[in-house]
Amino acid sequence: MQFIIPTRYYALVACTLLSAFCVIGLAFHERFFLPLLVFTGLSALGIWDMLQTRHAVLRNYPILAHVRFLFEYVRPEIRQYLIESDIEAQPFSRNQRSLVYQRAKLALETRPFGTQKNVYQTGYEWLNHSIAPVHIEDPNFRVMVGQTRGTQPQLKDGVTQPYAISVFNVSAMSFGALSANAIMALNKGAKKGGFAHDTGEGSISRHHRVFGGDLIWEIGSGYFGCRNDDGSFSEDRFVAAACDPQVRMIEIKLSQGAKPGHGGVLPGPKVTQEIAEARGVTAWVDCVSPSRHTAFDTPIGLLQFVARLRLLSAGKPVGFKLCIGHPWEFFGIAKAMLETGITPDFIVVDGGEGGTGAAPVEFTDHVGSPLREGLLLVHNTLVGLNLRDQVRLGASGKIVSAFDIARCCALGADWCNSARGFMFALGCLQAQTCHTGTCPTGVATQDALRQRALVVPDKAERVYNFHHKTLEALGELLGAAGLSHPGEVRAHHIVRRVADDAVEPLSGVLKFVTPGSLLQGRLEHPVHAAWWTRARSDRFAPGD
């Protein structure tokens, strides 16, 4: 078999060969002594890079990656350049990634010389503090999911299995999109921190099970892990996986923020034996994820499917995830809740700005409601139907910091999920080569040599640190505002600058409905006024 040296090792190979050449040359002239020291030193450095476990990029790019760390080292000296170029062009990328790295590595987070935000720029938001702050002893905030339920088929022996979920969890990222080592590191970190790890629609792989961290099993339109050979839903295979104690909740994926309504295909050459095993498909054959479900085709059918999965899983919390698109479709689901008495245990609202996987540019930039609008619409609809207490709300979409969590809670979320935040904790550099299989840090690749650079124990600790430090920061934020739990955050606690000379609390900027308003026929929200009466529970299309 032909042996090919990856190009990323060329620097190490070149230094090693030059060292050997200098050894030979030293026999003829002493001028080769200094080059010998240089190239031998670089060779030793490259070997050390491949053996150390803290930096995945060094393990994959020995010697070469030190250039990146050099730029990090001199960053304070060129900070003004960075502020004028990269930070302004990509405010999320550098600022938030740096925050995650600091927390994951337990580095100093404090920053001198005040805020770097333009506090007089329209759209700037802040949390109002209290003159009487409180001290929060334990910031391990949790929310119980699955205690309050609507009508459903009677469970055997009345078994129910509610789950106390952390307010900050790993969002859906599939094995196949992420490497085996990345999945194991996320799950080990989740196990240590006591938070949940969403499997993504790629189902539960053997790598999810190694450390036993809590799983939210996401079931997409491909029914991976619970499908028949023809791609339809399989009850028997669902029961076999869902009744595993490690699976704490089941999430039906209707759509995702990265490419809602699109579906996808994993090309055959990428469907390895391990991926095929996890998904229940044939290896090396195109793996199709349809754009819509086949187990139901109406809002009522969706809720009946929710009840069916809850019964089959012996009462585990079952809900669904979606990025809000046509508002009448979600309104149809809400009407179906009233008609059937079946409510999901939870709904996760994904924002159109979210998504860590590859997607068509048009979908990434211009399809799907942003998280803020989608979350508020779902919250308002449930409040207007007096169903908000029965259904928990999760939020995902570019959520990384403690303030991101607090702001989502102010808009109605009970908990938040993060994908890119935990990818950064794993060491992701946002090289944006996820779809090519050449991830420089071993996070998003199935290349065995590349992913070995991601050392599971080290990165699992960073995942845990990021979660723990973010909840600590959330506790400090809440305490400063005089609050004791994220569930106490309301829209009036967050203030937004709406003009150069005007600010308003979110309660004054955004529209919130009164409890029971929809039941009473009062269409207080403009989207309700436009579409509520046309929504149908028996079909996703609007009525006349």
Side-chain angles (χ1 to χ4, degrees):
M1 185 174 68
Q2 186 178 11
F3 178 72
I4 300 176
I5 299 175
T7 57
R8 61 186 184 275
Y9 296 148
Y10 279 3
L12 175 58
V13 173
C15 289
T16 303
L17 292 176
L18 287 170
S19 296
F21 176 77
C22 290
V23 169
I24 297 173
L26 196 60
F28 299 95
H29 201 286
E30 62 181 12
R31 73 176 62 174
F32 286 94
F33 181 71
L34 183 58
L36 175 62
L37 289 180
V38 173
F39 291 123
T40 302
L42 288 173
S43 299
L45 177 64
I47 293 171
W48 169 252
D49 289 342
M50 296 182 69
L51 295 177
Q52 58 82 37
T53 61
R54 288 184 56 80
H55 301 289
V57 69
L58 285 177
R59 287 167 66 84
N60 266 334
Y61 294 85
I63 302 176
L64 295 175
H66 284 280
V67 176
R68 172 181 179 269
F69 291 104
L70 173 63
F71 282 117
E72 280 191 350
Y73 179 75
V74 301
R75 180 180 169 191
E77 284 72 24
I78 59 173
R79 191 168 188 81
Q80 187 60 37
Y81 167 76
L82 293 172
I83 290 174
E84 292 174 356
S85 59
D86 193 34
I87 288 181
E88 293 302 319
Q90 302 182 56
F92 178 86
S93 302
R94 185 173 295 278
N95 291 340
Q96 298 286 52
R97 192 169 69 231
S98 296
L99 174 65
V100 176
Y101 288 168
Q102 288 168 342
R103 287 182 174 165
K105 298 177 183 179
L106 297 180
L108 188 65
E109 294 180 39
T110 54
R111 188 170 59 191
F113 293 105
T115 180
Q116 294 176 6
K117 301 282 189 180
N118 181 356
V119 299
Y120 296 104
Q121 182 178 6
T122 300
Y124 174 72
E125 294 179 343
W126 68 90
L127 176 72
N128 272 342
H129 65 283
S130 171
I131 292 177
V134 300
H135 175 67
I136 297 177
E137 192 69 34
D138 181 11
N140 185 24
F141 305 113
R142 296 191 169 273
V143 176
M144 189 63 71
V145 185
Q147 282 186 319
T148 306
R149 291 175 168 169
T151 303
Q152 64 178 83
Q154 183 62 45
L155 295 171
K156 183 180 179 181
D157 299 324
V159 174
T160 58
Q161 302 182 57
Y163 177 54
I165 192 170
S166 170
V167 298
F168 192 45
N169 306 280
V170 181
S171 195
M173 294 181 285
S174 301
F175 169 58
L178 298 191
S179 68
N181 285 18
I183 292 294
M184 287 190 286
L186 288 172
N187 197 256
K188 185 174 183 180
K191 175 68 173 180
K192 181 175 180 179
F195 53 98
H197 178 192
D198 194 312
T199 65
E201 68 172 312
S203 192
I204 308 169
S205 70
R206 65 177 74 172
H207 310 295
H208 287 93
R209 301 185 187 278
V210 174
F211 298 105
D214 291 349
L215 295 177
I216 299 173
W217 181 18
E218 182 178 273
I219 298 175
S221 54
Y223 305 114
F224 300 130
C226 57
R227 59 185 269 142
N228 295 309
D229 294 339
D230 62 358
S232 60
F233 175 72
S234 168
E235 279 196 1
D236 292 340
R237 291 174 180 172
F238 172 80
V239 171
C243 291
D244 186 327
Q246 192 179 351
V247 176
R248 306 307 296 269
M249 304 203 305
I250 292 99
E251 175 184 279
I252 303 166
K253 192 198 85 170
L254 303 181
S255 57
Q256 65 187 84
K259 48 183 177 179
H262 185 271
V265 177
L266 186 64
K270 293 186 177 182
V271 185
T272 64
Q273 291 288 352
E274 285 186 318
I275 292 174
E277 173 191 306
R279 300 191 179 198
V281 298
T282 303
W284 316 118
V285 176
D286 289 354
C287 180
V288 179
S289 180
S291 59
R292 61 184 298 172
H293 281 262
T294 57
F296 55 86
D297 57 7
T298 66
I300 288 177
L302 166 62
L303 295 181
Q304 290 173 339
F305 190 57
V306 167
R308 180 182 173 192
L309 297 190
R310 197 153 50 197
L311 180 64
L312 292 172
S313 64
K316 291 184 178 179
V318 179
F320 56 84
K321 179 181 85 173
L322 81 169
C323 177
I324 294 295
H326 297 314
W328 60 81
E329 294 178 345
F330 178 72
F331 294 164
I333 297 172
K335 287 186 174 181
M337 294 181 200
L338 292 178
E339 293 180 19
T340 63
I342 301 171
T343 56
D345 292 302
F346 65 91
I347 298 172
V348 174
V349 182
D350 204 4
E353 71 273 34
T356 53
V361 174
E362 291 83 359
F363 276 79
T364 299
D365 292 342
H366 301 292
V367 180
S369 297
L371 175 58
R372 185 174 299 173
E373 284 70 24
L375 176 60
L376 190 58
L377 185 67
V378 172
H379 172 72
N380 272 329
T381 302
L382 295 176
V383 168
L385 296 176
N386 285 337
L387 293 175
R388 184 62 186 85
D389 291 340
Q390 296 184 38
V391 183
R392 296 295 191 184
L393 287 186
S396 61
K398 283 194 175 179
I399 297 170
V400 170
S401 70
F403 181 75
D404 294 336
I405 299 173
R407 180 171 51 193
C408 286
C409 291
L411 300 179
D414 292 304
W415 79 84
C416 294
N417 298 331
S418 175
R420 71 188 64 216
F422 285 100
M423 283 184 73
F424 292 159
L426 288 173
C428 170
L429 303 175
Q430 270 191 303
Q432 297 184 319
T433 58
C434 312
H435 57 300
T436 67
T438 59
C439 173
T441 56
V443 175
T445 179
Q446 297 305 307
D447 184 310
L449 191 58
R450 283 183 176 271
Q451 66 174 291
R452 69 167 287 279
L454 194 158
V455 179
V456 173
D458 177 70
K459 295 305 184 287
E461 193 67 22
R462 293 188 183 185
V463 167
Y464 165 77
N465 290 340
F466 169 58
H467 177 269
H468 180 70
K469 298 296 286 185
T470 301
L471 285 192
E472 276 191 353
L474 179 61
E476 291 175 347
L477 275 181
L478 297 176
L483 306 174
S484 300
H485 191 277
E488 298 175 8
V489 183
R490 297 293 181 265
H492 63 263
H493 291 115
I494 309 289
V495 182
R496 181 189 300 174
R497 180 169 294 283
V498 295
D500 289 346
D501 58 351
V503 301
E504 283 194 47
L506 290 187
S507 56
V509 176
L510 304 174
K511 180 63 179 178
F512 290 84
V513 305
T514 54
S517 57
L518 286 175
L519 293 177
Q520 298 163 13
R522 290 184 285 111
L523 306 180
E524 299 175 345
H525 195 283
V527 183
H528 289 149
W531 295 107
W532 178 256
T533 57
R534 297 186 61 186
R536 298 279 299 269
S537 62
D538 60 345
R539 67 186 190 192
F540 286 112
D544 297 330

